[in-house]
Amino acid sequence: MAKKRVMVAAQNIDLSAVQYEQEEIKAPHLTGLAFKLFVWIVEAPIIGSLIISLLKKQNKMTQLLRNTVIPEAPMFKPEYPPQEPEPGVVSLDEDGKPEDRVEVALKCLPQYDPASCWNGDSTPSFRYWKIRDYAYAYRSKIATPSVVAEHIISVVEEFSNKKPPQPLLISFNPEEVRSQAAASTKRFEEGNPLSILDGIFVAIKDDIDCFPHPSKGGTTWMHEVRTVKKDAVSVSRLRSCGVIFVGKANMHELGMGTTGNNSNYGTARNPHAPERYTGGSSSGPAAIVASGLCSAALGTDGGGSIRIPSSLCGVVGLKTTYGRTDIGGSLCDAGTVEIIGPIASTVEDVMLVYSAILGTSRADRISLNPSPPSVPNLSFNDSLNSLGSLRLGKYTAWFNDVYSTDISDKCEDTLNLLSKTHGCEMVEIVVPELHEMRTAHLVSIGSECLSSLNPYCEDGNGARLSYDTRTSMALFRSFSASDYVAAQCLRRRIMYYHMEIFKKVDVIVTPTTGMTAPIIPLSALKDGETDMRVTGYLMRFVIAGNLLGLPAISIPVGYDKQGFPIGLQLIGRPWGEASILRLALAIEELCAKSKKRPASFFDVLKSN
């Protein structure tokens, strides 16, 4: 008989007695024929249930969900206490026009002269073209959106024809891109661009609707059972700003993986090393931005899916507060952990795209009571001085629990430089029950994903999913209604701990991932793989953003000894996007000189 465990109420926990426990995931790493056989066994009616049950017991999930008394009531969606207004910000009208919000955000950016970048190499280190650089080039007739479109089209077609296939886009129509670019070029010729985003090329993850493209979610069949009739809300907002959509970016099938492996269409490769993963599930969006093809992309983040690939590919990824952006028109629009957010090569470009797409849905506005959206005012000299009052919370034992100390050392060096330069205060914190948080997140996202997919899978499409997705689905089917409720009780408990932490600090700092880009096993390209140890390292620090709906951003801060990108994560207070954007920009400036050109990079703006 299993021994019952009774949890002490969260408010009575003695934090001084909390001991950090290293995560040890017990599950086999399988590829190829062994992986296929494993999937066949776990899907079998009796033996499959026994194997899944054994794995759950070995990973302490069964005890937590079935044999533990959790005193807190369930929290089925993130619930926050009222938040204090952020200092030094400019409010944005979420009911106004997206192009008006972008114009306000543009005026909040630091002074910058794009012309200097065209007068020879102004900086010795590598840098990406900013959205403001493209806008200057178009207005100055140095380039046109149509010319840039041709450069992008040739590169995308080159990647699609590689052996083995390495498609950055799953759905791509060159004529559609040319048509959008021609319309934008005409607007510039007439002197009437719609916004600073006019003529800017953006990729859309394959689980977000972008008409007339299908939304396959990385599967071979989703477009057969779900028709796209219009843009997702976020895409529609970008379209009104004049954005040019290059197509639907590659992704880990249905978002159920952290590497970006896709055996259906081919796996996108890391621009810094083609033999390594991009990270997932927003693999295509991060790779497209990192390779210089697009200024920005939209991804979804239900378990680090924006931040993980942004970190591994050396770009910036923003996970907004849950509900800050309207997720309507995406395959994950019924969940409680997922958001749509931007990936870009710089913090300021993330800020511009974020300003365009933000706006809480009517339903969420009633239930979540969001603070008004805002962006940091960076256009005056005192802006960086306000960084000195920020308190940064660091749980050292957790921070250092990484695959290679290259990661923790680089992140630590960056924080020390930040404190030395701007006077930010480092505060030691404790985050209790990290295992409980991971388990609650897995049950939540798994149950919600299964609920949305069941109608399609019961029709026989489940057998058409890739082997790693079928492995996840087998685990998700083992969760009961009581497991889901227990996970929501844990969500309230973990939320309490974090709201207490935010009484002492403004931002929680961690590495974004516990390892840099993993090698792609050749045997995994055809049929995928399952490697929960890698998944554990990649997801180690991202879960609070999803289970609790907190805003978080990943900023590149350097490289490990092998030359692969390292990301630093900032986790903010609820609705506190402006604060983490301000801090992220300061970190980006401190790390600018160490920026390296990716091995696979295309200068589509200045290309001859």
Side-chain angles (χ1 to χ4, degrees):
M1 184 178 291
K3 187 177 180 181
K4 182 177 72 174
R5 173 191 174 199
V6 179
M7 282 182 153
V8 176
Q11 61 265 34
N12 296 328
I13 288 287
D14 179 7
L15 294 181
S16 65
V18 171
Q19 297 290 316
Y20 180 77
E21 293 183 21
Q22 284 192 316
E23 183 184 22
E24 185 183 354
I25 298 176
K26 296 179 180 177
H29 175 206
L30 300 170
T31 63
L33 184 61
F35 187 24
K36 290 183 182 180
L37 181 62
F38 176 76
V39 173
W40 181 79
I41 293 172
V42 296
E43 289 182 336
I46 298 174
I47 190 171
S49 297
L50 291 173
I51 289 174
I52 293 288
S53 178
L54 176 63
L55 287 170
K56 286 163 69 177
K57 283 180 180 176
Q58 287 180 333
N59 289 284
K60 303 177 184 177
M61 292 177 63
T62 304
Q63 180 195 16
L64 177 60
L65 298 169
R66 305 275 172 97
N67 304 321
T68 301
V69 177
I70 307 168
E72 284 74 22
M75 176 190 289
F76 292 102
K77 246 182 188 182
E79 298 172 11
Y80 313 118
Q83 299 296 306
E84 291 291 323
E86 296 173 275
V89 302
V90 175
S91 294
L92 301 175
D93 180 7
E94 60 183 324
D95 292 320
K97 294 180 179 179
E99 53 268 43
D100 291 343
R101 289 196 298 271
V102 170
E103 183 64 26
V104 172
L106 179 63
K107 291 177 180 176
C108 291
L109 293 178
Q111 273 196 326
Y112 172 64
D113 179 18
S116 64
C117 299
W118 294 88
N119 304 327
D121 191 1
S122 58
T123 55
S125 58
F126 169 75
R127 66 182 290 277
Y128 285 98
W129 292 114
K130 298 180 181 181
I131 285 172
R132 287 196 275 181
D133 293 318
Y134 278 87
Y136 171 80
Y138 295 156
R139 285 169 170 79
S140 304
K141 297 183 170 52
I142 296 172
T144 68
S146 289
V147 169
V148 174
E150 294 304 323
H151 297 156
I152 294 172
I153 288 167
S154 66
V155 174
V156 169
E157 290 178 340
E158 175 191 330
F159 268 85
S160 299
N161 294 327
K162 284 183 181 288
K163 303 291 182 189
Q166 303 173 19
L168 296 169
L169 298 168
I170 287 176
S171 179
F172 173 61
N173 183 336
E175 292 311 312
E176 173 71 15
V177 176
R178 289 186 176 108
S179 174
Q180 295 176 76
S184 178
T185 298
K186 185 179 179 183
R187 289 193 293 271
F188 278 101
E189 288 172 351
E190 295 172 347
N192 295 313
L194 297 175
S195 76
I196 192 76
L197 297 181
D198 204 333
I200 300 303
F201 291 82
V202 173
I204 304 298
K205 189 178 177 183
D206 195 35
D207 60 353
I208 305 170
D209 292 345
C210 181
F211 187 81
H213 297 275
S215 290
K216 301 176 182 178
T219 71
T220 59
W221 55 264
M222 181 59 74
H223 59 296
E224 297 171 6
V225 298
R226 182 183 177 277
T227 305
V228 174
K229 297 179 180 177
K230 61 178 183 178
D231 290 333
V233 176
S234 56
V235 172
S236 174
R237 289 170 178 166
L238 286 176
R239 199 182 290 276
S240 70
C241 295
V243 160
I244 299 171
F245 300 108
V246 299
K248 302 300 291 297
N250 204 346
M251 62 179 287
H252 206 117
E253 187 181 65
L254 293 174
M256 288 195 211
T258 56
T259 60
N261 183 297
N262 189 307
S263 55
N264 297 323
Y265 298 98
T267 297
R269 306 305 182 92
N270 195 310
H272 290 268
E275 74 281 2
R276 292 181 179 260
Y277 281 123
T278 57
S281 61
S282 303
S283 52
I288 285 170
V289 171
S291 63
L293 288 177
C294 288
S295 297
L298 288 191
T300 54
D301 194 316
S305 289
I306 285 174
R307 291 160 288 158
I308 292 169
S310 294
S311 177
L312 268 51
C313 291
V315 291
V316 183
L318 174 65
K319 188 257 160 210
T320 64
T321 308
Y322 174 78
R324 177 61 91 191
T325 53
D326 191 327
I327 202 166
S330 68
L331 299 185
C332 50
D333 59 7
T336 67
V337 297
E338 290 170 286
I339 61 93
I340 290 175
I343 296 173
S345 52
T346 64
V347 174
E348 75 166 57
D349 288 356
V350 158
M351 182 167 142
L352 291 172
V353 175
Y354 163 67
S355 300
I357 67 172
L358 66 80
T360 307
S361 70
R362 295 292 175 186
D364 280 343
R365 224 175 282 189
I366 294 169
S367 62
L368 298 175
N369 191 28
S371 302
S374 62
V375 289
N377 191 349
L378 307 166
S379 61
F380 57 97
N381 293 331
D382 293 334
S383 176
L384 292 179
N385 295 336
S386 63
L387 291 168
S389 63
L390 288 179
R391 298 161 300 167
L392 312 182
K394 178 188 167 203
Y395 185 15
T396 299
W398 185 34
F399 190 99
N400 292 337
D401 188 7
V402 291
Y403 182 77
S404 166
T405 54
D406 289 359
I407 296 171
S408 50
D409 289 348
K410 178 60 69 175
C411 290
E412 179 81 32
D413 290 346
T414 302
L415 292 174
N416 289 338
L417 184 59
L418 183 70
S419 296
K420 182 180 177 182
T421 307
H422 297 295
C424 302
E425 179 188 357
M426 297 300 303
V427 179
E428 183 67 23
I429 59 171
V430 172
V431 185
E433 300 176 9
L434 290 167
H435 169 70
E436 285 79 355
M437 179 165 67
R438 296 183 192 107
T439 301
H441 171 263
L442 177 61
V443 174
S444 298
I445 193 171
S447 300
E448 291 166 7
C449 184
L450 186 68
S451 175
S452 65
L453 289 173
N454 260 338
Y456 307 124
C457 291
E458 292 298 316
D459 286 347
N461 289 307
R464 299 170 66 186
L465 292 169
S466 62
Y467 289 106
D468 57 346
T469 304
R470 286 164 63 180
T471 303
S472 297
M473 294 288 279
L475 172 61
F476 298 162
R477 288 190 191 97
S478 75
F479 297 144
S480 67
S482 65
D483 292 339
Y484 185 75
V485 173
Q488 308 321 301
C489 294
L490 289 171
R491 182 174 353 210
R492 185 175 298 278
R493 189 177 174 87
I494 306 298
M495 181 70 83
Y496 173 83
Y497 295 138
H498 281 73
M499 290 303 101
E500 288 297 298
I501 289 170
F502 281 121
K503 290 178 181 178
K504 302 170 187 172
V505 303
D506 302 294
V507 175
I508 298 171
V509 292
T510 72
T512 306
T513 59
M515 70 187 304
T516 52
I519 290 176
I520 306 172
L522 291 178
S523 56
L525 288 173
K526 183 181 177 183
D527 296 308
E529 68 174 320
T530 177
D531 190 343
M532 296 310 296
R533 185 166 170 268
V534 164
T535 295
Y537 275 118
L538 293 178
M539 293 184 71
R540 177 142 302 162
F541 304 105
V542 298
I543 297 303
N546 299 110
L547 182 68
L548 308 181
L550 299 171
I553 191 168
S554 177
I555 321 103
V557 292
Y559 306 85
D560 65 8
K561 289 185 177 67
Q562 295 175 285
F564 305 131
I566 293 169
L568 178 70
Q569 178 181 227
L570 310 176
I571 305 172
R573 287 195 177 99
W575 315 113
E577 285 85 1
S579 293
I580 59 174
L581 283 167
R582 183 195 305 279
L583 189 57
L585 187 71
I587 292 169
E588 182 180 68
E589 289 176 350
L590 292 173
C591 299
K593 290 181 181 177
S594 65
K595 201 87 175 165
K596 295 179 183 176
R597 180 188 179 105
S600 178
F601 175 78
F602 304 90
D603 188 342
V604 295
L605 181 58
K606 215 172 182 178
S607 180
N608 295 319

